[in-house]
Amino acid sequence: MLVDSHCHLDFPDFSEELEAVVARAGDAGIGLMLTIGTKLEKFPGVLAIAERFPNVYCTVGVHPHEAEHDWGYAAETLVDLAKHPKVVGIGETGLDYFYDHSPRDLQIKSFRAHIEAARQTGLPLIVHTRDADDDTIRVMEEEKRAGDYSAVIHCFTGTQRLADASLAMGFFISLSGILTFKNAVDLRAVVKSVPTDRLLVETDSPYLAPIPHRGKRNEPAFTAHTAKFAADLKEEDQARFASATTENFFRLFNKIPRSALAQAA
């Protein structure tokens, strides 16, 4: 079975048919889903979904877009919220210089606070980065020297340099439906260089639906399309690729009991 390592089930796009969305994911072979926190004020809704479905877990964090508007907390706030058994990661956090919805200095402060929370909890960090390779690498490397932590670069669309730096720090790279887009030639070249034992798959739904659903609302069931495309790209058996990425997920998100997947099946 596959795992959708990054989705947003609390978004209004799913509100009217959440039960059906989760059911379709199971029918498509998606055993577990990780729904991601983006604002602290919306965290109770994220957690409620994880509590509602046995095959859904969640994270707590503040998206870089929200750093200016959801600031004023310390790492301890994230640490406290992460004590719940269904909270298995910190983020998403990081740097987004494409939109610059929040000042860059506040994005960096928020990023560092999340890393400290990941360090204190031992939970993995979920990193969003766009048009910010230099600062993302710099902050991650500085914080890595200050104390160990684990991480995944979610919805990877970066350069070979970002991939190499992330892998050198022991981090994972997660692939979204963007990999299937016709114009993602450079991304596919980078992904070919990433060892399979460091890859995850995700949807980032409701966004970025993979081919053949591009232009439609994305949902966790479509993880299967991205996984198939990635396996073919890397010339690997699809079943073995699915097994490997699921194993990678449990290695990273090790708060989740492996029995959770058996229960989902």
Side-chain angles (χ1 to χ4, degrees):
M1 299 186 84
L2 288 160
V3 175
D4 184 353
S5 66
H6 192 113
C7 57
H8 297 280
L9 296 179
D10 67 309
F11 281 20
D13 309 70
F14 296 126
S15 60
E16 295 185 1
E17 57 164 349
L18 187 56
E19 291 273 359
V21 167
V22 172
R24 283 197 294 270
D27 291 343
I30 314 306
L32 295 176
M33 288 151 274
L34 185 61
T35 190
I36 305 296
T38 57
K39 293 182 179 181
L40 289 188
E41 66 181 30
K42 292 189 174 182
F43 173 69
V46 175
L47 180 59
I49 291 172
E51 291 179 321
R52 178 178 169 187
F53 298 100
N55 58 339
V56 177
Y57 289 79
C58 72
T59 69
V60 58
V62 178
H63 193 286
H65 288 341
E66 309 298 332
E68 181 177 19
H69 310 292
D70 208 353
W71 185 244
Y73 63 89
E76 286 70 25
T77 303
L78 298 170
V79 171
D80 185 60
L81 293 172
K83 292 176 181 177
H84 191 284
K86 276 279 187 159
V87 180
V88 299
I90 303 295
E92 64 186 283
T93 182
L95 305 175
D96 194 312
Y97 293 174
F98 181 81
Y99 287 109
D100 274 330
H101 286 332
S102 288
R104 295 182 180 186
D105 63 327
L106 290 184
Q107 291 188 49
I108 291 174
K109 287 181 180 179
S110 179
F111 194 13
R112 291 188 187 276
H114 282 75
I115 293 174
E116 177 58 26
R119 195 181 285 126
Q120 288 187 30
T121 60
L123 299 179
L125 188 76
I126 295 87
V127 179
H128 168 111
T129 178
R130 188 172 184 187
D131 283 10
D133 281 15
D134 289 347
D135 279 355
T136 298
I137 293 169
R138 176 178 62 82
V139 170
M140 292 193 307
E141 288 181 340
E142 288 175 357
E143 293 292 340
K144 192 75 168 177
R145 290 192 292 269
D148 197 24
Y149 64 98
S150 60
V152 56
I153 314 300
H154 109 86
C155 192
F156 186 88
T157 56
T159 60
Q160 187 71 57
R161 177 171 170 259
L162 176 62
D164 291 345
S166 300
L167 294 172
M169 286 183 272
F171 298 160
F172 289 76
I173 286 174
S174 184
L175 307 176
S176 74
I178 292 176
L179 184 70
T180 73
F181 296 178
K182 291 181 180 179
N183 61 354
V185 176
D186 292 343
L187 173 60
R188 288 192 282 273
V190 174
V191 169
K192 284 184 178 181
S193 75
V194 179
T196 299
D197 66 0
R198 304 289 281 282
L199 289 174
L200 304 180
V201 285
E202 64 169 271
T203 58
D204 202 13
S205 52
Y207 310 116
L208 306 174
I211 292 172
H213 299 287
R214 188 174 183 185
K216 301 178 182 178
R217 184 199 68 183
N218 201 2
E219 61 178 79
F222 298 167
T223 309
H225 297 292
T226 299
K228 178 182 183 303
F229 188 96
D232 291 345
L233 175 69
K234 295 181 71 63
E235 300 180 339
E236 296 186 14
D237 176 80
Q238 292 176 20
R240 283 197 294 269
F241 183 84
S243 178
T245 56
T246 297
E247 172 63 22
N248 297 341
F249 178 83
F250 280 109
R251 284 167 54 205
L252 181 62
F253 293 95
N254 55 25
K255 184 176 176 179
I256 303 176
R258 290 175 180 265
S259 59
L261 195 61
Q263 291 169 358

